[in-house]
Amino acid sequence: MSKAEITSWDKNILQVSVPMDSPLRQVNSYILTDEKGRVTIIDPGPRSPDTENCWLGILQELNLSWMDVRDIVVTHHHPDHYGLAGWLQSQSGCKVWMTERAHAEARLMWGDGFGDDAGNGNGKDINDFLPVYFSRHGMTDEWSNGIKAHLESFNSQVEPQPVVSYLNLAEPFRMGGREWQLIVTGGHAPGHVSLYHADSGLMICGDAVLPQISPNVSLLPGSDPQPLETFLQGLRELGSYPVSMAFPGHREPFAGFTHRVNSLLAHHEERLDTAAALLTSGPLSGFAVCEVLFRSRVTSVHQMRFAMSETLAHLAELVRRERAVMLEADGGFLFASAERVREHIS
Ligand SMILES: [Zn+2]
Ligand SMILES: [Zn+2]
């Protein structure tokens, strides 16, 4: 069994590095304890027999009982953050806190099935709909055939689902004896919450800002139709806070938060330019663009799913900025340079 590594940071924040599958390999949980010994856990990790044992080991090492665990805050609905919350709640009886929007997304992925107001999905389960959606954007069967099984493989990581209490965004959240401001941003995941303590400048930022890794921005049918725009807006908002130390969902806590935010903003602008340049030689499917942007880095269905969703997020942003247009033909979609289309018409 792999053991969680515990690191103690200034101001009584414990970082727990919970092992998980590659490519990420670990997720950070944070433990904050108040003056009465009441414990709040941020993002407990995905559920597996291994992570359950991990948490039993962590409680033992820290000399804590289930009774001490009062609250869990889940920054967003992804299984590597939300997955174990239900199991921890079943052991401790603690409250599980999320934003209402993030919980809606958890239900979209693993709850009452998939169907949205825009008519996408037709009430089908997203596990069935996503491969069809990717196929319409040009994905070959070789990849799309594996998407459904890949999505289903997450189900066991999020069972049992927790009973969720909604964070009140109008008020600070109290944990570890201090008041934390709630900052909701989307793009990586709708309703993602970061927690900021103004006096110390500490920012617990989940996957909204990560060091070394560019957080995935996915276009998912039935969810946010403009995830990249939402993500960039969120980055600009987060970047406006003075941060002394950031505590991310993966890798190590880091200083230089504003610098990291700015380099992520620049990265996406470069990506948009690269995608736009590809379209100047003629219309391309989302998959064709994805293959060029991510070719050397995609070796698994998991990576392909994120690469494809991120490419579509970039293409949707090019359409929003009127740099590209989406064309529908034979039940599928192509993206064309808006400039080329305008030349053609005039
Ligand atoms: Zn995430
Ligand atoms: Zn994550």
Side-chain angles (χ1 to χ4, degrees), residues 76 78 80-81 188 207:
H76 63 298
H78 289 163
D80 51 333
H81 300 255
H188 174 72
D207 287 354

Side-chain angles (χ1 to χ4, degrees), residues 99-243:
T99 67
E100 193 169 355
R101 181 71 185 86
H103 189 225
E105 206 69 12
R107 290 206 311 273
L108 172 74
M109 295 298 289
W110 303 290
D112 352 67
F114 177 62
D116 72 290
D117 300 338
N120 287 316
N122 303 318
K124 273 188 175 176
D125 195 281
I126 191 150
N127 298 357
D128 290 313
F129 188 70
L130 196 61
V132 175
Y133 181 73
F134 282 169
S135 297
R136 295 182 77 192
H137 280 287
M139 185 179 275
T140 54
D141 293 349
E142 178 201 352
W143 286 109
S144 66
N145 287 342
I147 297 283
K148 184 176 177 183
H150 161 69
L151 290 169
E152 285 172 349
S153 73
F154 288 106
N155 292 349
S156 65
Q157 295 185 17
V158 296
E159 295 289 337
Q161 308 257 350
V163 176
V164 172
S165 304
Y166 294 141
L167 290 164
N168 178 356
L169 303 178
E171 282 175 17
F173 185 80
R174 192 161 183 85
M175 59 180 188
R178 285 184 291 180
E179 309 258 305
W180 296 76
Q181 187 181 335
L182 304 172
I183 307 165
V184 179
T185 57
H188 174 72
H192 183 296
V193 69
S194 299
L195 299 108
Y196 177 68
H197 184 247
D199 290 348
S200 58
L202 302 183
M203 177 78 88
I204 298 171
C205 53
D207 287 354
V209 180
L210 296 171
Q212 290 107 27
I213 307 164
S214 174
N216 174 253
V217 180
S218 279
L219 180 66
L220 193 68
S223 184
D224 182 351
Q226 296 293 349
L228 187 59
E229 184 198 17
T230 310
F231 185 69
L232 298 177
Q233 269 171 6
L235 281 179
R236 285 190 279 267
E237 188 188 343
L238 288 165
S240 70
Y241 289 86
V243 172

